[in-house]
Structure formats: structure tokens, C-alpha cells
């Protein structure tokens, strides 16, 4: 069947719209795609595990050049290694990087800072298709507070910062236009794994449904455990007297004390600490013998086994971690040699993301105000499996 003949059309994974009030391109239909994606991943046990492993392998053992990795790059005391660790997480979650650079009066880069990728939005393209600025806000949902007050998303609370262009004539003209070096906001090196000037699509995007299902499966297990595999029962007995009285005029008066059988104490029968308790329901004017009503419910956990297995496998596959999954389910043996081979395979999978990092740092430090890395080696050392606990941490890793 041809693509155009399919009745069910797939929607865009990342909606982009123009937010006129801010002059920016919305990231998702509500401009909160990265925030929503992070929450979905955090709620999925399998998704969180895969992203964490993905992050670890992208980061590897840091930059091979240790002196460069330990170089302090801003007034807060952050080192190159600190910034590297932060952007590896952004690549794993969102497939993007955002780094802020400041310049001195000579138009040379003198400071580097990390900006969370989820805080950045692209300005609308101009007539030439060029995005000139990056819009930065601490929290696009408007829920973050400072000094007890929420930081609302307004044009005044958004920083519009020039995109990265280290050419001296460009930087000096921007400094002059800003009113001097003290008013200049610097530039942002914004990189998308899906191309220049477009919002990236996360590796997790194709399995957001599976990750949401994974969260639901965890809720089912919670329900079965906390709300009783062994449900409580109910004993129905008779009551010797009526709940009504006769007043002095011979009229029937309802005392209002009739027991409906389901009082506030029913909550005491719920939960793992109350499993197996009994509920007594007293009936009025019933001559039958006491009756036990079983409230046990069916344990649905086994019926979710197939779904859980397929969901977990798809999430692992989306992150290129199929070999890790086969080890997890026991399909592949567990030994030092096997794990070492898996490390090598996964290091090759994340090499593209590591090269993205190398190119980003090389662009910045080629225009740094002093020579920081004479070797010009910005490569990241791959993560290695530690076969001996006594091996130095500089050559180690873990699973």
C-alpha cells in the first residue's frame, strides 16, 4: 500500500507554531514539548533506566585531555568537565545542546556557561530563513518562583540572545548595538541533532506511548499490592431492633441511626497492611443466618505480562539497547567478556552524539581568549567495563 493511500495519517511528532506575542517558534503545540517529554520519561521506570544508561555512555570518561577537562571556564568556578556532564544529559533527553558564551572588549570568548536545552526557544525565521536569536526563559510553564513570586512568561521576562557567531566584526557590532560590553548578553551556541534551525526530535519520542504504558503497568502492580491481592470480606448479620422509635403521640420517628453497611470504617479494609480483615454489616429485621460475602478480586498482574515484556523491549530498542535487554531477560549469558562486548557496541552507537560535543567545544575554544587546549584534542574517552575493582576510575565504567 502506498503512503498516500493510508487512511490513518500519522501526525507531526513535534508541532511547531508561531507565538506572535513573543515572536518565537513554539516547541510543541503548547510550547512545552521538552518539559512534557521529561515528565513522561521520569514516570517510566524502563524509560528512566535507558536514558540514564544513554547519558552515561555519551559522557563516557570525559575528555581525553585531562588538563582541558579541569580548566575553569566561568566566574562560578565550573570546569569544562562540569559543563560536559550537563550537556550529555540534554543530548540524551532532547538530542540538543545549548551553551552560552560571553566576550571581552576585544571580541574574544572569555566565559562559557550551561543553559538547559529545555529553556531555549528559536526566534521566528527572517525573510532569508535565518534564526538570529535564541529566546531563553527559566521556566516556560510559568510555575517556577523566585523570592516567592512566580516567573511568568512575558516578553519582559524572556532573554533574547544572539546566536553563536564568533567573528570579531560581528561580536563588536553586537556589543556596540547593546550599549557597551556591560549591557551585552553574549551569544548562545544552539545545536539540534536534527539539523540547523529546527527543533530536535528526542530518541525517546518514538516510544512515548510505550513509556506511558510502562507507567500504567507500574500503577497496576502498585494497585495489586497496596489495594490488596487478598481482598477483605463482608459478614451480613441480623439486627435485633429497628432503627425507628414511636413518640408519645404514636407517630413513627426515624432515629437516623440506620446502618447502611458501608460506613467510614470501610477505608480500614483497604491497603496492604489491612488485607484479610472483615467488615460486619448489620441488617434490620432479617431472620436469615449470617452470610459471608467474598470481596476477592481477580489478580490482573499476570494478564499484563505480555504487554509489559513488549513495552520494555520496544523502549530498550528505541535507545539501541537491545543487547542490554537480552541480558536482562536471561537470553544472553552474563559474563565479563559479554558485557565488555556490549560496552564496545554501545560506544559505537553513541559516537555520533560524542562527535556533536567535540565539534561544539572546538568551535568555542578556537576563539577563546587564551590557548587552553594546545593539542586541539576534544575527543571523549569511551566508557569501559571494569573487570577488576582495583582498576583506576580513569579507565572504568559500570553497567
Amino acid at each position: 500500500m502506498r503512503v498516500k493511500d493510508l487512511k490513518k495519517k500519522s501526525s507531526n511528532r513535534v508541532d511547531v507554531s508561531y507565538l506572535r506575542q513573543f515572536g518565537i517558534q513554539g516547541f510543541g503545540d503548547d510550547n512545552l514539548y521538552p518539559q512534557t517529554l521529561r515528565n513522561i520519561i521520569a514516570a517510566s521506570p524502563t524509560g528512566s533506566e535507558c536514558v540514564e544508561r544513554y547519558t552515561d555512555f555519551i559522557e563516557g570518561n570525559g575528555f581525553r585531555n585531562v588538563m582541558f577537562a579541569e580548566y575553569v571556564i566561568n566566574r562560578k568556578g565550573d570546569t569544562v568537565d562540569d559543563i560536559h556532564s550537563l550537556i550529555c544529559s540534554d543530548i540524551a533527553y532532547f538530542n540538543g545542546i545549548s551553551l552560552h558564551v560571553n566576550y571581552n572588549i576585544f571580541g574574544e570568548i572569555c566565559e562559557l556557561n550551561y543553559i538547559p536545552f529545555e529553556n531555549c526557544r528559536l526566534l521566528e525565521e527572517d525573510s532569508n530563513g535565518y534564526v538570529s536569536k535564541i529566546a531563553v526563559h527559566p521556566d516556560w510553564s510559568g510555575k517556577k518562583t523566585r523570592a516567592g513570586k512566580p516567573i511568568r512568561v512575558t516578553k519582559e521576562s524572556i532573554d533574547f540572545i544572539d546566536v553563536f557567531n564568533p567573528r570579531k566584526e560581528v561580536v563588536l557590532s553586537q556589543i556596540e548595538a547593546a550599549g557597551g560590553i556591560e549591557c551585552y548578553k553574549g551569544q548562545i551556541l544552539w545545536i539540534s541533532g536534527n539539523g540547523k534551525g529546527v527543533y530536535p526530535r528526542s530518541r525517546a519520542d518514538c516510544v512515548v506511548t510505550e513509556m506511558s504504558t510502562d507507567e500504567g503497568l507500574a500503577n497496576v502492580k502498585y494497585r495489586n499490592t497496596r489495594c490488596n491481592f487478598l481482598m477483605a470480606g463482608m459478614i451480613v448479620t441480623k439486627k435485633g431492633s429497628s432503627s425507628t422509635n414511636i413518640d408519645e403521640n404514636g407517630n413513627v420517628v426515624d432515629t437516623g441511626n440506620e446502618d447502611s453497611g458501608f460506613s467510614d470504617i470501610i477505608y480500614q479494609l483497604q491497603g496492604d497492611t489491612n488485607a484479610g480483615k472483615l467488615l460486619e454489616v448489620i441488617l434490620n429485621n432479617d431472620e436469615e443466618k449470617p452470610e459471608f460475602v467474598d470481596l476477592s478480586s481477580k489478580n490482573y498482574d499476570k494478564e499484563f505480562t505480555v504487554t509489559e515484556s513488549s513495552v520494555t523491549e520496544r523502549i530498550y530498542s528505541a535507545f539501541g539497547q537491545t543487547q542490554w535487554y537480552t541480558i536482562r531477560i536471561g537470553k544472553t549469558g552474563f559474563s565479563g567478556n559479554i558485557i565488555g562486548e556490549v560496552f564496545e557496541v554501545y560506544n559505537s552507537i553513541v559516537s555520533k552524539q560524542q562527535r556533536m560535543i567535540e565539534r561544539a567545544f572546538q568551535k568555542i575554544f578556537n576563539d577563546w581568549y587564551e590557548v587552553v587546549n594546545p593539542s586541539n584534542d576534544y575527543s571523549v574517552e569511551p566508557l569501559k567495563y571494569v573487570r577488576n575493582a582495583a582498576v583506576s576510575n580513569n579507565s572504568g565504567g559500570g553497567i
Side-chain angles (χ1 to χ4, degrees):
M1 182 178 289
R2 295 178 301 175
V3 172
K4 70 175 185 178
D5 293 332
L6 294 176
K7 294 182 179 180
K8 178 63 177 179
K9 307 296 183 182
S10 297
S11 58
N12 293 329
R13 300 303 301 179
V14 182
D15 293 319
V16 179
S17 58
Y18 175 53
L19 302 183
R20 188 178 300 276
Q21 67 272 36
F22 306 130
I24 64 173
Q25 301 178 46
F27 200 168
D29 58 351
D30 57 356
N31 196 33
L32 295 175
Y33 169 84
Q35 285 80 1
T36 303
L37 180 66
R38 183 183 286 276
N39 290 337
I40 292 174
I41 295 174
S44 167
T46 307
S48 298
E49 176 188 349
C50 289
V51 171
E52 183 177 350
R53 182 181 292 117
Y54 189 37
T55 303
D56 289 342
F57 273 83
I58 293 173
E59 183 176 356
N61 283 317
F63 291 104
R64 294 182 187 275
N65 189 328
V66 178
M67 292 185 63
F68 170 66
E70 295 176 348
Y71 182 78
V72 177
I73 51 175
N74 58 43
R75 67 196 73 182
K76 294 183 293 186
D78 294 328
T79 63
V80 171
D81 194 52
D82 294 330
I83 302 298
H84 173 243
S85 178
L86 293 171
I87 64 173
C88 288
S89 178
D90 278 352
I91 293 177
Y93 274 94
F94 311 118
N95 195 23
I97 298 173
S98 55
L99 294 169
H100 177 264
V101 295
N102 277 324
Y103 291 84
N104 58 26
I105 58 174
F106 303 108
E108 300 168 325
I109 300 175
C110 62
E111 189 174 36
L112 174 63
N113 288 283
Y114 162 77
I115 294 182
F117 189 82
E118 60 197 277
N119 292 355
C120 297
R121 299 294 183 270
L122 296 173
L123 205 68
E124 182 70 0
E125 293 180 353
D126 60 18
S127 58
N128 296 318
Y130 179 68
V131 176
S132 61
K133 292 180 182 292
I134 304 295
V136 181
H137 191 276
D139 180 19
W140 289 96
S141 67
K143 296 179 180 179
K144 186 174 182 178
T145 61
R146 285 179 180 171
K149 296 181 180 180
I151 309 174
R152 304 195 181 278
V153 183
T154 63
K155 201 160 186 176
E156 292 71 26
S157 63
I158 299 173
D159 286 324
F160 295 91
I161 303 176
D162 294 305
V163 297
F164 183 74
N165 187 342
R167 293 175 58 183
K168 283 193 176 183
E169 60 270 24
V170 173
V171 175
L172 293 175
S173 65
Q174 290 176 350
I175 292 174
E176 183 179 357
I181 191 67
E182 64 279 359
C183 301
Y184 185 49
K185 295 182 179 180
Q187 295 177 344
I188 290 182
L189 176 60
W190 188 92
I191 301 175
S192 165
N194 287 88
K196 190 173 182 178
V198 296
Y199 288 124
R201 188 168 67 88
S202 169
R203 196 158 193 162
D205 182 83
C206 62
V207 286
V208 289
T209 304
E210 280 75 9
M211 287 191 289
S212 183
T213 304
D214 190 44
E215 177 191 2
L217 290 168
N219 291 336
V220 169
K221 293 179 180 179
Y222 172 86
R223 181 198 66 196
N224 282 342
T225 302
R226 290 297 187 181
C227 298
N228 302 344
F229 283 104
L230 302 172
M231 291 294 288
M234 176 172 68
I235 296 182
V236 181
T237 62
K238 63 183 179 179
K239 186 175 181 180
S241 61
S242 174
S243 63
T244 58
N245 293 327
I246 306 299
D247 63 13
E248 57 184 9
N249 297 322
N251 299 319
V252 177
V253 178
D254 189 351
T255 61
N257 295 324
E258 182 177 358
D259 191 346
S260 65
F262 298 98
S263 64
D264 293 338
I265 65 170
I266 194 169
Y267 78 91
Q268 298 177 9
L269 295 151
Q270 305 301 314
D272 53 316
T273 58
N274 297 316
K277 288 189 177 181
L278 299 176
L279 170 67
E280 182 182 17
V281 180
I282 301 177
L283 301 180
N284 294 320
N285 302 322
D286 189 348
E287 299 301 329
E288 296 183 0
K289 65 180 180 179
E291 175 187 3
F292 179 78
V293 179
D294 186 11
L295 299 180
S296 298
S297 65
K298 184 178 180 180
N299 178 13
Y300 293 96
D301 191 48
K302 292 181 180 179
E303 297 187 7
F304 285 87
T305 301
V306 175
T307 301
E308 182 176 14
S309 177
S310 63
V311 164
T312 302
E313 183 179 6
R314 288 176 183 175
I315 295 174
Y316 269 76
S317 178
F319 285 93
Q321 299 176 12
T322 303
Q323 290 181 300
W324 298 99
Y325 178 73
T326 59
I327 293 174
R328 169 177 172 159
I329 63 175
K331 189 175 180 180
T332 303
F334 188 92
S335 68
N337 290 333
I338 292 176
I339 297 299
E341 292 174 0
V342 173
F343 266 62
E344 291 181 8
V345 171
Y346 205 58
N347 279 325
S348 67
I349 291 176
V350 302
S351 61
K352 179 181 178 180
Q353 288 70 34
Q354 290 178 337
R355 289 197 302 272
M356 183 193 301
I357 294 172
E358 294 169 20
R359 290 193 298 267
F361 278 89
Q362 189 169 25
K363 285 180 180 179
I364 292 172
F365 284 94
N366 279 349
D367 289 277
W368 199 262
Y369 75 99
E370 64 179 4
V371 178
V372 178
N373 189 358
S375 66
N376 204 34
D377 180 9
Y378 297 92
S379 61
V380 177
E381 183 181 357
L383 201 62
K384 296 180 181 178
Y385 176 62
V386 178
R387 301 174 189 270
N388 188 336
V391 177
S392 170
N393 291 334
N394 290 333
S395 62
I399 60 171

